[in-house]
Amino acid sequence: AFTAILTALMGASISARHVWIQHLPKDEVPACGPGLAYMFQYFPLTDTLKMMLSGTGDCAQVDWVLLGLSMPAWVLSAFLGLALLGALILKRASH
């Protein structure tokens, strides 16, 4: 359960950053970078991961919405729910 909580919180932090990038004003969105396939082909894995996590202008575009929330917002909700579930399991196990 503890590992599940840590994993869920890491996923939540990445999706929270994506939600934050989507809500930036257009003039503050980071510049667009090369595509993911290009980065994997021409950059070392560590550099590619760093560029992926720093975000590009592509991340600010909302392509899909359900009930007013974008996909990263739904993913953030799911990760937070999984972290809460893990916390409840830990709490029950300690009693």
Side-chain angles (χ1 to χ4, degrees), residues 2 9 12 14 27 29 32 59:
F2 183 73
L9 291 177
I14 292 170
D27 60 332
V29 173
C32 292
C59 297

Side-chain angles (χ1 to χ4, degrees), residues 17-52:
R17 177 155 171 79
H18 197 152
V19 169
W20 175 73
I21 288 172
Q22 286 183 334
H23 287 88
L24 284 174
K26 288 193 184 286
D27 60 332
E28 292 182 27
V29 173
C32 292
L36 186 59
Y38 178 86
M39 288 192 293
F40 275 125
Q41 185 174 1
Y42 293 105
F43 294 108
L45 180 60
T46 54
D47 291 346
T48 300
L49 292 174
K50 183 179 175 184
M51 286 187 274
M52 286 173 49

Side-chain angles (χ1 to χ4, degrees), residues 73-95:
W74 281 107
V75 172
L76 174 61
S77 301
F79 276 127
L80 292 176
L82 289 172
L84 180 62
L85 181 63
L88 291 173
I89 290 171
L90 274 180
K91 184 177 178 181
R92 278 194 176 188
S94 68
H95 287 295

